[in-house]
Amino acid sequence: MTESERHKLMLGLLRDQPFASVRDLQAYVNASPATIRRDIAKLHASGAVRKVFGGIAAAESVSGLDRLAARPFTENQMLEVAAKNAIADEAAKLVKDGDAIIIHGGSTCYLFALLLANRNVRIYTNSMPLAATLWQNGTCHLTFAGGDLYREPGIVFSPKAGAPEFYASKFFLGAQAITPNGMQESHPLIVKETELLLQRADEVIVLADSRKFGARARYPIMPLSRIGTLITDEGLSEANHKMLTDAGIRVIIARPGPENS
């Protein structure tokens, strides 16, 4: 098989799935790991694909990434579900029975919270969808933020309330965008609420699928140095992996299993 034939097959594979590992590509085009890595380097250099941690991902335009930051909760629920479920699974492993934790709004955090619904944990949240689900289907101890409901982000917030009287060992939150300058959000109320909750948690754990890297949002929320652990998917680029580890962040790569596919 010629190089151009391999490249055509590899690009065709990415039309059916967002990510392909080196092992996937080896089997798909029947080539050695060294050949696959050379192909990846050439396709990445041409802009046809993105070189990511362990393989390649479909190329995305900057404008598409910009639009990502403005999507409401209900729309984000439908995106990258397998990756988000895998991230949620990894996050649940970090929670011990008896823990008091804060879980922010967001579609990945919502899936994570479902895994804790019937565990012996204390959860504080400002997410209306999350609180409603845990109330109906859970047995965990739940503390809910007070204030007005802001429907687009799905959070409850009171500008006069101040930081809650809840202290957590871990604060789990999602991200609209992650850059070398830190995390960014598109809604100012999320920024204000997060700043208050950061005062009440020992460790910050970010749940963010790889689409969030390179995205842009309007408001800075925290520097990378404030993040202890970040859980993402296999689409994370090598450059972004290095950016995170250089900032002292523990990076966990979540790999979807058959049940999440």
Side-chain angles (χ1 to χ4, degrees), residues 154-177:
I155 66 169
V156 173
F157 178 67
S158 172
K160 298 179 181 179
E165 291 300 316
F166 188 97
Y167 296 87
S169 59
K170 302 176 183 72
F171 177 15
F172 294 86
L173 72 162
Q176 291 291 351

Side-chain angles (χ1 to χ4, degrees), residues 21-34 36-37:
S21 67
V22 172
R23 183 174 296 179
D24 292 337
L25 296 169
Q26 278 182 255
Y28 194 66
V29 303
N30 192 26
S32 69
I36 293 298
R37 290 190 176 92

